[in-house]
Amino acid sequence: MQMEKSKVLVVGASGYIGRRIVKASLAQGHETYVLQRRDVGLDIDKLQLLLSFKAQGARLIHGSFSDHRSIVDAVKHVDVVICTISGSTSKNHNMLLQLKLIDAIKEAGNIKRFLPSEFGMNPARMGHALEPGNVTFEVKMKVREAIEKSKIPFTYVSANCFGGVFAGNLSQFDTLFPPRDKVCLYGDGNVKAIYMDEDDVATYTIKTIDDPRTLNKTLYLRPPENIITQRELVEKWENILGKKLEKHSISAEELLASMKGVEYEGQVALGHIYHIFYEGCLTNFELSEEDEEEAFKLYPDVPYTRMDAYLKHYL
Protein backbone atom coordinates (compact mmCIF):
# COMPACT_ATOMS: atom_id res chain seq x y z
CA MET A 1 0.00 0.00 0.00
CA GLN A 2 1.45 3.34 -1.07
CA MET A 3 1.96 5.89 1.69
CA GLU A 4 0.04 9.14 1.36
CA LYS A 5 2.33 11.96 0.23
CA SER A 6 3.00 14.78 2.64
CA LYS A 7 1.61 18.25 2.13
CA VAL A 8 4.41 20.76 1.66
CA LEU A 9 4.81 24.45 2.49
CA VAL A 10 7.64 26.29 0.72
CA VAL A 11 8.88 29.47 2.38
CA GLY A 12 11.04 31.62 0.10
CA ALA A 13 9.49 30.16 -3.04
CA SER A 14 10.37 33.11 -5.28
CA GLY A 15 14.10 32.61 -4.76
CA TYR A 16 16.73 30.85 -6.84
CA ILE A 17 16.24 27.43 -5.25
CA GLY A 18 12.76 27.99 -3.85
CA ARG A 19 11.08 28.16 -7.25
CA ARG A 20 12.68 24.86 -8.18
CA ILE A 21 11.55 23.28 -4.92
CA VAL A 22 7.95 24.25 -5.74
CA LYS A 23 8.24 22.74 -9.21
CA ALA A 24 9.76 19.50 -7.91
CA SER A 25 7.18 19.18 -5.14
CA LEU A 26 4.33 19.48 -7.63
CA ALA A 27 6.04 17.14 -10.09
CA GLN A 28 6.35 14.45 -7.40
CA GLY A 29 2.66 14.69 -6.56
CA HIS A 30 2.71 16.62 -3.30
CA GLU A 31 -0.03 19.04 -2.38
CA THR A 32 2.09 22.17 -2.36
CA TYR A 33 1.57 25.47 -0.57
CA VAL A 34 3.57 28.64 -1.15
CA LEU A 35 3.87 31.30 1.55
CA GLN A 36 2.80 34.60 0.04
CA ARG A 37 4.51 37.24 2.14
CA ARG A 38 3.35 40.82 2.33
CA ASP A 39 6.78 42.17 1.46
CA VAL A 40 6.16 41.31 -2.21
CA GLY A 41 4.81 44.86 -2.34
CA LEU A 42 5.07 46.26 -5.86
CA ASP A 43 7.55 43.65 -7.12
CA ILE A 44 5.72 42.64 -10.30
CA ASP A 45 8.20 39.87 -11.13
CA LYS A 46 7.61 38.13 -7.79
CA LEU A 47 3.87 38.54 -8.19
CA GLN A 48 3.92 36.96 -11.65
CA LEU A 49 6.05 34.09 -10.32
CA LEU A 50 3.60 33.45 -7.48
CA LEU A 51 0.71 33.46 -9.94
CA SER A 52 2.60 30.99 -12.13
CA PHE A 53 2.92 28.65 -9.12
CA LYS A 54 -0.83 28.89 -8.68
CA ALA A 55 -1.39 28.09 -12.35
CA GLN A 56 0.79 24.96 -11.93
CA GLY A 57 -1.36 23.76 -9.05
CA ALA A 58 0.26 25.24 -5.94
CA ARG A 59 -1.84 26.96 -3.32
CA LEU A 60 -0.89 30.45 -2.15
CA ILE A 61 -1.25 31.09 1.55
CA HIS A 62 -0.75 34.47 3.19
CA GLY A 63 1.74 34.91 6.01
CA SER A 64 4.22 37.41 7.42
CA PHE A 65 7.15 37.02 9.79
CA SER A 66 5.86 40.13 11.56
CA ASP A 67 2.59 38.29 12.27
CA HIS A 68 3.30 35.15 14.31
CA ARG A 69 -0.30 33.91 14.15
CA SER A 70 -0.34 34.02 10.34
CA ILE A 71 2.76 31.78 10.18
CA VAL A 72 1.28 29.33 12.70
CA ASP A 73 -1.93 29.16 10.65
CA ALA A 74 0.04 28.56 7.44
CA VAL A 75 2.08 25.78 9.02
CA LYS A 76 -1.05 24.01 10.25
CA HIS A 77 -2.10 23.34 6.62
CA VAL A 78 0.84 21.03 5.91
CA ASP A 79 3.05 18.17 7.09
CA VAL A 80 6.43 19.40 5.83
CA VAL A 81 7.98 22.88 5.76
CA ILE A 82 10.87 23.67 3.42
CA CYS A 83 12.56 27.04 3.83
CA THR A 84 14.73 28.49 1.06
CA ILE A 85 15.23 32.03 2.33
CA SER A 86 18.49 33.46 1.01
CA GLY A 87 20.75 36.24 2.18
CA SER A 88 23.52 34.47 4.11
CA THR A 89 26.33 36.11 2.08
CA SER A 90 25.25 39.65 2.99
CA LYS A 91 25.32 41.52 6.28
CA ASN A 92 21.53 41.35 6.33
CA HIS A 93 21.09 37.82 7.63
CA ASN A 94 17.54 37.12 6.49
CA MET A 95 18.09 33.48 7.35
CA LEU A 96 17.63 34.31 11.03
CA LEU A 97 13.97 34.92 10.18
CA GLN A 98 13.79 31.13 10.36
CA LEU A 99 13.87 31.44 14.13
CA LYS A 100 10.38 32.91 13.90
CA LEU A 101 9.37 30.07 11.61
CA ILE A 102 10.71 27.57 14.13
CA ASP A 103 8.64 29.20 16.88
CA ALA A 104 5.54 28.83 14.69
CA ILE A 105 6.32 25.19 13.86
CA LYS A 106 6.81 24.42 17.54
CA GLU A 107 3.48 26.01 18.45
CA ALA A 108 1.58 24.36 15.60
CA GLY A 109 2.86 20.96 16.68
CA ASN A 110 1.90 19.10 13.50
CA ILE A 111 5.05 19.21 11.35
CA LYS A 112 6.60 15.85 10.49
CA ARG A 113 9.72 17.32 8.86
CA PHE A 114 11.40 20.73 8.59
CA LEU A 115 14.10 21.43 6.02
CA PRO A 116 15.80 24.75 6.84
CA SER A 117 17.54 26.96 4.31
CA GLU A 118 20.97 25.38 3.86
CA PHE A 119 21.71 23.72 0.47
CA GLY A 120 25.44 24.49 0.50
CA MET A 121 28.39 23.31 2.57
CA ASN A 122 27.53 21.55 5.82
CA PRO A 123 27.96 24.30 8.46
CA ALA A 124 28.70 21.69 11.13
CA ARG A 125 31.96 20.93 9.29
CA MET A 126 32.91 24.61 8.78
CA GLY A 127 33.76 25.75 12.30
CA HIS A 128 37.21 26.76 11.01
CA ALA A 129 35.86 29.00 8.21
CA LEU A 130 37.58 32.29 7.42
CA GLU A 131 36.07 35.63 8.37
CA PRO A 132 33.72 37.11 7.32
CA GLY A 133 32.33 34.03 5.56
CA ASN A 134 32.26 32.17 8.84
CA VAL A 135 29.17 34.19 9.77
CA THR A 136 27.24 32.30 7.07
CA PHE A 137 27.88 29.03 8.86
CA GLU A 138 27.36 30.48 12.32
CA VAL A 139 23.90 31.71 11.32
CA LYS A 140 22.98 28.30 9.94
CA MET A 141 24.19 26.64 13.13
CA LYS A 142 22.04 28.99 15.23
CA VAL A 143 19.05 27.85 13.19
CA ARG A 144 20.02 24.19 13.65
CA GLU A 145 20.41 24.64 17.38
CA ALA A 146 16.92 26.16 17.61
CA ILE A 147 15.44 23.28 15.57
CA GLU A 148 17.03 20.60 17.72
CA LYS A 149 16.30 22.38 20.98
CA SER A 150 12.64 22.55 19.94
CA LYS A 151 12.75 18.82 19.04
CA ILE A 152 11.41 19.50 15.54
CA PRO A 153 11.98 16.59 13.11
CA PHE A 154 14.43 17.75 10.43
CA THR A 155 16.55 16.98 7.41
CA TYR A 156 19.53 19.15 6.49
CA VAL A 157 20.42 19.20 2.78
CA SER A 158 24.04 19.78 1.77
CA ALA A 159 23.96 20.50 -1.97
CA ASN A 160 27.59 21.64 -2.38
CA CYS A 161 28.13 23.88 -5.47
CA PHE A 162 25.18 25.16 -7.49
CA GLY A 163 25.95 24.80 -11.20
CA GLY A 164 24.83 28.33 -12.04
CA VAL A 165 27.20 29.82 -9.47
CA PHE A 166 30.24 27.54 -9.77
CA ALA A 167 30.05 25.44 -12.94
CA GLY A 168 28.65 27.69 -15.66
CA ASN A 169 31.48 30.16 -15.08
CA LEU A 170 34.16 27.48 -14.59
CA SER A 171 34.29 28.70 -10.96
CA GLN A 172 35.58 32.16 -11.92
CA PHE A 173 35.04 34.81 -9.25
CA ASP A 174 33.91 37.77 -11.35
CA THR A 175 31.47 36.36 -13.92
CA LEU A 176 28.56 33.97 -14.35
CA PHE A 177 29.52 33.06 -17.93
CA PRO A 178 32.20 30.58 -18.99
CA PRO A 179 35.35 32.25 -20.35
CA ARG A 180 36.18 31.58 -23.98
CA ASP A 181 39.85 32.56 -24.03
CA LYS A 182 41.48 32.63 -20.58
CA VAL A 183 40.67 30.85 -17.32
CA CYS A 184 42.01 31.13 -13.79
CA LEU A 185 42.77 27.90 -11.93
CA TYR A 186 42.85 27.78 -8.16
CA GLY A 187 46.21 26.30 -7.30
CA ASP A 188 46.84 23.44 -9.69
CA GLY A 189 43.10 23.03 -10.31
CA ASN A 190 43.17 19.42 -9.14
CA VAL A 191 41.13 19.60 -5.92
CA LYS A 192 37.83 17.73 -6.12
CA ALA A 193 34.60 19.71 -5.80
CA ILE A 194 30.95 18.72 -6.28
CA TYR A 195 28.77 20.51 -8.81
CA MET A 196 24.97 20.24 -8.88
CA ASP A 197 22.25 21.11 -11.35
CA GLU A 198 19.79 23.20 -9.33
CA ASP A 199 16.77 21.25 -10.60
CA ASP A 200 18.43 18.06 -9.36
CA VAL A 201 18.93 19.69 -5.96
CA ALA A 202 15.18 20.25 -5.81
CA THR A 203 14.37 16.73 -6.99
CA TYR A 204 16.58 15.10 -4.35
CA THR A 205 15.23 17.45 -1.68
CA ILE A 206 11.62 16.46 -2.31
CA LYS A 207 12.60 12.78 -2.48
CA THR A 208 13.79 12.94 1.11
CA ILE A 209 10.79 14.50 2.85
CA ASP A 210 8.82 11.26 3.33
CA ASP A 211 11.86 9.01 3.66
CA PRO A 212 12.43 7.71 7.23
CA ARG A 213 16.07 7.01 6.36
CA THR A 214 16.82 10.75 6.29
CA LEU A 215 14.89 11.75 9.40
CA ASN A 216 17.04 13.89 11.72
CA LYS A 217 20.04 13.49 9.41
CA THR A 218 22.10 15.46 6.92
CA LEU A 219 21.57 14.49 3.29
CA TYR A 220 24.57 15.04 1.02
CA LEU A 221 24.12 15.47 -2.73
CA ARG A 222 27.22 13.82 -4.20
CA PRO A 223 26.42 12.19 -7.56
CA PRO A 224 29.68 10.43 -8.48
CA GLU A 225 30.15 11.81 -12.00
CA ASN A 226 29.79 15.36 -10.67
CA ILE A 227 32.65 14.98 -8.19
CA ILE A 228 35.31 16.53 -10.38
CA THR A 229 38.20 18.98 -10.21
CA GLN A 230 38.12 22.52 -11.57
CA ARG A 231 40.61 21.44 -14.22
CA GLU A 232 38.27 18.61 -15.31
CA LEU A 233 35.40 21.10 -15.47
CA VAL A 234 37.49 23.36 -17.72
CA GLU A 235 38.33 20.39 -19.95
CA LYS A 236 34.63 19.63 -20.39
CA TRP A 237 34.07 23.20 -21.55
CA GLU A 238 37.08 23.05 -23.87
CA ASN A 239 35.67 19.91 -25.50
CA ILE A 240 32.33 21.65 -26.01
CA LEU A 241 33.97 24.83 -27.28
CA GLY A 242 36.40 22.98 -29.53
CA LYS A 243 39.45 24.93 -28.35
CA LYS A 244 41.93 25.09 -25.49
CA LEU A 245 41.82 27.98 -23.05
CA GLU A 246 44.87 29.86 -21.85
CA LYS A 247 45.33 28.94 -18.21
CA HIS A 248 46.91 30.82 -15.34
CA SER A 249 47.00 29.89 -11.69
CA ILE A 250 46.44 31.81 -8.47
CA SER A 251 48.02 30.49 -5.29
CA ALA A 252 46.18 30.23 -2.00
CA GLU A 253 48.31 33.07 -0.62
CA GLU A 254 47.46 35.31 -3.56
CA LEU A 255 43.74 34.57 -3.25
CA LEU A 256 43.72 35.35 0.47
CA ALA A 257 45.66 38.57 -0.12
CA SER A 258 43.12 39.63 -2.75
CA MET A 259 40.36 39.65 -0.10
CA LYS A 260 41.72 42.91 1.34
CA GLY A 261 39.78 45.89 0.09
CA VAL A 262 37.02 43.77 -1.46
CA GLU A 263 33.44 44.50 -0.37
CA TYR A 264 31.83 42.27 2.26
CA GLU A 265 30.00 39.96 -0.17
CA GLY A 266 33.18 39.51 -2.20
CA GLN A 267 35.18 38.57 0.89
CA VAL A 268 32.56 35.96 1.80
CA ALA A 269 32.69 34.51 -1.73
CA LEU A 270 36.50 34.41 -1.82
CA GLY A 271 36.57 32.70 1.56
CA HIS A 272 34.23 30.01 0.28
CA ILE A 273 36.38 29.60 -2.84
CA TYR A 274 39.42 29.08 -0.62
CA HIS A 275 37.73 26.35 1.41
CA ILE A 276 36.32 24.56 -1.65
CA PHE A 277 39.22 24.74 -4.11
CA TYR A 278 42.29 24.75 -1.85
CA GLU A 279 41.17 22.85 1.25
CA GLY A 280 38.82 20.51 -0.61
CA CYS A 281 36.20 20.93 2.12
CA LEU A 282 33.46 19.26 0.05
CA THR A 283 35.28 15.98 -0.42
CA ASN A 284 38.00 15.64 2.24
CA PHE A 285 35.91 13.62 4.69
CA GLU A 286 33.91 10.43 5.00
CA LEU A 287 30.21 10.51 5.83
CA SER A 288 29.10 9.49 9.30
CA GLU A 289 27.01 6.32 9.23
CA GLU A 290 25.13 7.56 12.28
CA ASP A 291 23.66 10.87 11.09
CA GLU A 292 24.56 11.42 7.42
CA GLU A 293 23.22 9.93 4.18
CA GLU A 294 24.16 10.19 0.51
CA ALA A 295 21.35 11.00 -1.90
CA PHE A 296 22.77 9.12 -4.88
CA LYS A 297 22.84 5.88 -2.90
CA LEU A 298 19.33 6.37 -1.54
CA TYR A 299 17.80 7.45 -4.85
CA PRO A 300 19.80 5.87 -7.70
CA ASP A 301 16.78 6.25 -9.99
CA VAL A 302 17.19 10.04 -10.20
CA PRO A 303 18.70 10.83 -13.65
CA TYR A 304 21.01 13.62 -12.52
CA THR A 305 22.59 16.14 -14.91
CA ARG A 306 26.29 15.77 -15.64
CA MET A 307 28.33 18.95 -15.96
CA ASP A 308 29.15 18.54 -19.66
CA ALA A 309 25.41 18.60 -20.34
CA TYR A 310 25.00 21.55 -17.98
CA LEU A 311 27.73 23.52 -19.76
CA LYS A 312 26.21 23.00 -23.20
CA HIS A 313 23.51 25.53 -22.28
CA TYR A 314 26.21 28.22 -22.39
CA LEU A 315 27.45 27.49 -25.91
Side-chain angles (χ1 to χ4, degrees):
M1 184 177 179
Q2 188 173 9
M3 183 176 64
E4 184 178 352
K5 291 179 178 290
S6 290
K7 298 176 183 178
V8 178
L9 172 66
V10 182
V11 179
S14 63
Y16 186 62
I17 286 297
R19 66 190 66 188
R20 292 172 168 85
I21 295 288
V22 173
K23 180 181 176 182
S25 180
L26 290 168
Q28 294 183 42
H30 293 273
E31 187 174 321
T32 305
Y33 292 76
V34 169
L35 189 69
Q36 182 178 339
R37 292 158 60 188
R38 294 170 189 163
D39 59 7
V40 169
L42 298 177
D43 190 330
I44 189 65
D45 290 329
K46 280 190 177 180
L47 173 60
Q48 292 298 321
L49 184 59
L50 289 171
L51 292 176
S52 75
F53 293 152
K54 187 176 180 181
Q56 294 169 51
R59 302 186 183 190
L60 304 185
I61 187 165
H62 292 271
S64 171
F65 285 115
S66 61
D67 181 356
H68 174 73
R69 179 49 50 190
S70 71
I71 301 297
V72 173
D73 290 343
V75 166
K76 285 183 176 180
H77 282 82
V78 300
D79 309 298
V80 172
V81 177
I82 303 175
C83 187
T84 59
I85 290 176
S86 62
S88 62
T89 58
S90 69
K91 291 183 179 180
N92 180 20
H93 290 291
N94 292 328
M95 290 175 64
L96 285 176
L97 289 172
Q98 292 181 102
L99 298 179
K100 295 185 177 183
L101 182 56
I102 290 165
D103 288 340
I105 290 172
K106 184 178 179 180
E107 181 174 331
N110 61 297
I111 293 304
K112 298 176 182 177
R113 194 85 61 104
F114 176 44
L115 282 68
S117 185
E118 295 215 357
F119 305 104
M121 293 176 264
N122 181 357
R125 293 186 179 274
M126 297 304 298
H128 65 292
L130 296 171
E131 296 182 352
N134 63 319
V135 177
T136 300
F137 306 113
E138 290 173 0
V139 166
K140 291 181 178 182
M141 288 307 295
K142 284 182 181 178
V143 173
R144 285 191 178 193
E145 289 165 8
I147 292 168
E148 294 173 29
K149 183 178 180 181
S150 299
K151 300 188 184 304
I152 295 170
F154 64 84
T155 298
Y156 305 137
V157 178
S158 177
N160 299 298
C161 294
F162 292 160
V165 180
F166 286 97
N169 59 357
L170 307 186
S171 303
Q172 306 302 285
F173 171 66
D174 57 354
T175 180
L176 291 176
F177 293 95
R180 291 174 176 259
D181 297 300
K182 301 178 181 179
V183 64
C184 176
L185 296 177
Y186 301 115
D188 60 10
N190 289 324
V191 174
K192 295 280 188 181
I194 306 171
Y195 301 92
M196 289 297 304
D197 180 296
E198 293 83 349
D199 290 332
D200 293 343
V201 171
T203 297
Y204 281 123
T205 298
I206 298 300
K207 282 275 189 183
T208 196
I209 61 177
D210 285 328
D211 189 343
R213 296 173 295 178
T214 59
L215 180 62
N216 296 334
K217 293 185 179 182
T218 298
L219 179 72
Y220 286 87
L221 311 190
R222 307 173 97 185
E225 291 188 41
N226 286 2
I227 304 174
I228 58 175
T229 67
Q230 185 196 12
R231 187 177 288 275
E232 289 171 328
L233 183 70
V234 170
E235 289 173 356
K236 290 178 184 296
W237 176 240
E238 288 176 330
N239 291 336
I240 293 168
L241 202 58
K243 61 179 285 191
K244 294 292 184 181
L245 303 185
E246 180 183 331
K247 301 173 184 67
H248 68 278
S249 176
I250 180 171
S251 69
E253 294 75 19
E254 290 170 326
L255 181 100
L256 293 175
S258 73
M259 292 174 65
K260 297 178 181 179
V262 177
E263 76 284 356
Y264 181 89
E265 290 80 2
Q267 290 182 35
V268 171
L270 286 170
H272 291 352
I273 285 173
Y274 172 79
H275 293 302
I276 294 169
F277 295 105
Y278 295 94
E279 284 188 348
C281 70
L282 302 182
T283 58
N284 64 0
F285 60 91
E286 297 294 327
L287 268 57
S288 164
E289 294 183 3
E290 181 180 350
D291 57 6
E292 297 178 329
E293 296 286 351
E294 190 169 324
F296 176 75
K297 293 181 178 179
L298 296 181
Y299 317 114
D301 57 313
V302 173
Y304 69 89
T305 302
R306 277 67 169 172
M307 285 302 106
D308 47 359
Y310 194 97
L311 285 168
K312 286 179 180 178
H313 296 297
Y314 294 85
L315 190 61

